[in-house]
């Protein structure tokens, strides 16, 4: 029987990579749901190509404007994932959440009871809502698979290992496009240069986060939550070739590391086939030359001052939500050319210290609504300042 897949955020970079894998195996997979924010023409083509009968368009204007376009093809269009799920009688085999930003949290929470396995690329939802996600995953016996390449590597390396034996985990960072530049020299660098990542082709938001090192800060927090680690058990190492994704050092003196090509195809396909173990990557020959001359260096705080953020204690309080939302808002302003590159750094560090936010760092959101209220508050604050 074909395995049913729900793909959230199908029109983005991860979504498209996932569809390229699924395209090659229509015999074994069928797509039950695709979603976009506003890219109607792309999701239309995807729905036709994969014969998908249910799709979601989040953007309300686009949703209303395009209802007829889909009706002609007998495709049902919904304005939210929650609405679409009301009509789903059977659990999907696997859901991939490839939505960007904090908007990915609500869909993840809503979909858990409708899927046997949930693979999340959307790191923002894990950082801000892991406590809620975990509760739902346990309640509905849904298996969780992290998709971020570093976390997929850790997850894979930890199979048959007892987590108690972990001494330290190293997450590798490419260093992004500005690894060899002093921050002083690139204060006003334009988004098009910051978007030009040396190793990965990704969506805009995560590309800027990779340049500022915010992406790796998020990934440290993500790893602490998923693998239940102490903050001193996770460290960042710059590794410009991005061939090795994670290194785990165990108490027994063994160290495991995982290497794969710099493409999200590998974690995505291995997640899609994880229960069958029959995925064949077309470039799977081991190339020992790639392992020669691998460089690992500790990141420089002067080049990447946002790393100071890791001094905060991330304990499922409002801090995580404020951090993710401030970054979402500042990166958006930068991409719109409303603030400079250095302002992302300075404003982030300054705003996090403001009394206005600090008073929440000892309080915990109780539910999704609390999270949403804080996200709105942060966005309003940033809008008032720029
Ligand atoms: P993209 O920006 O390329 O795609 C994001 C997807 O989410 C699009 O389908 C977009 O729709 C949709 N979307 C955006 N905003 C909303 C919203 N408010 N409501 C509903 N849907 C929305 O992002 P990426 O594919 O690069 O990244 C997706 C996630 O995966 C991010 O959290 C990222 O951090 C993580 N990730 C990405 C990696 C990568 O290589 N790209 C690697 C590891 C993790 P539309 O097309 O209409 O904008
Ligand atoms: Mg990553």
């Amino acid at each position: 029987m074909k395995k049913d897949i729900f793909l959230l955020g199908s029109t983005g970079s991860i979504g498209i990579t996932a569809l390229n894998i699924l395209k090659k195996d229509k015999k074994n997979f069928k797509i039950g749901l695709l979603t976009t924010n506003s890219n109607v023409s792309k999701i239309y083509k995807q729905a036709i190509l994969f014969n998908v009968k249910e799709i979601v368009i989040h953007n309300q204007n686009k949703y209303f404007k395009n209802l007829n376009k889909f009706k002609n093809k007998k495709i049902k269009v919904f304005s939210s994932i929650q609405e679409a799920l009301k009509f789903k009688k059977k659990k999907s085999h696997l859901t991939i959440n490839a939505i960007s930003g904090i908007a990915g949290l609500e869909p993840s929470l809503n979909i858990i009871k409708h899927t046997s396995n949930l693979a999340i690329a959307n790191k923002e939802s894990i950082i801000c809502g892991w406590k809620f996600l975990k509760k739902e995953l346990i309640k509905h016996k849904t298996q969780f698979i992290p998709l971020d390449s570093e976390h997929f590597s850790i997850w894979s390396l930890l199979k048959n290992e007892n987590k108690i034996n972990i001494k330290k985990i190293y997450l590798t960072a490419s260093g992004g496009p500005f690894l060899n530049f002093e921050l002083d020299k690139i204060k006003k660098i334009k988004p098009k240069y910051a978007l030009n990542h040396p190793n990965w082709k990704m969506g805009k938001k995560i590309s800027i986060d990779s340049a500022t090192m915010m992406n790796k800060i998020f990934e440290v927090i993500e790893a602490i939550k998923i693998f239940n680690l102490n903050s001193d058990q996770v460290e960042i190492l710059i590794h410009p070739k991005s061939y090795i994704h994670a290194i785990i050092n165990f108490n027994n003196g063994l160290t495991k590391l995982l290497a794969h090509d710099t493409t999200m195809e590998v974690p995505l396909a291995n997640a899609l086939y994880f229960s069958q173990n029959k995925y064949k990557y077309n470039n799977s020959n081991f190339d020992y030359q790639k392992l020669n001359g691998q460089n690992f260096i500790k990141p420089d705080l002067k080049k990447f001052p946002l790393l100071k953020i890791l001094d905060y204690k991330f304990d499922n309080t409002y801090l995580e939500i404020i951090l993710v939302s401030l970054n979402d808002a500042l990166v958006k302003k930068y991409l719109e050319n409303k603030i400079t590159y250095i302002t992302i750094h300075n404003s982030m560090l300054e705003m996090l210290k403001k009394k206005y936010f600090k008073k929440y760092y000892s309080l915990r959101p109780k539910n999704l609504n609390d999270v949403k209220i804080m996200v709105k508050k942060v966005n309003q604050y940033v809008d008032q300042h720029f």
Side-chain angles (χ1 to χ4, degrees), residues 209 261 283 376:
D209 290 347
D261 279 356
N283 193 20
K376 207 165 166 193

Side-chain angles (χ1 to χ4, degrees), residues 223-241:
I224 290 172
K225 307 234 174 204
I226 298 174
F227 304 106
N228 199 15
L229 302 163
N230 296 322
S231 55
D232 59 0
Q233 282 182 292
V234 189
E235 206 173 293
I236 300 170
L237 278 179
I238 304 263
H239 161 45
K241 286 190 187 167

Side-chain angles (χ1 to χ4, degrees), residues 9 11-14 36-39 58 98-99 121 123-124 148 202-203:
T11 50
S13 159
I14 293 272
T36 185
N37 187 33
S38 58
N39 197 336
H58 281 268
I99 292 174
K123 58 192 82 191
E124 295 87 347
D148 214 339
M202 308 181 284

Side-chain angles (χ1 to χ4, degrees), residues 6 82 85-86 88-92 95 106-118 133 136-137 139-142:
F6 295 167
Q82 209 160 352
L85 291 174
K86 281 186 192 160
K88 293 283 178 199
K89 294 199 179 72
K90 269 174 62 184
K91 276 191 173 190
S92 75
T95 296
E106 187 165 9
S108 271
L109 281 170
N110 286 334
I111 217 149
I112 289 175
K113 59 170 160 308
H114 297 274
T115 190
S116 303
N117 302 285
L118 175 59
L133 289 169
E136 286 295 293
L137 289 164
K139 184 171 163 196
H140 298 284
K141 298 191 177 68
T142 300

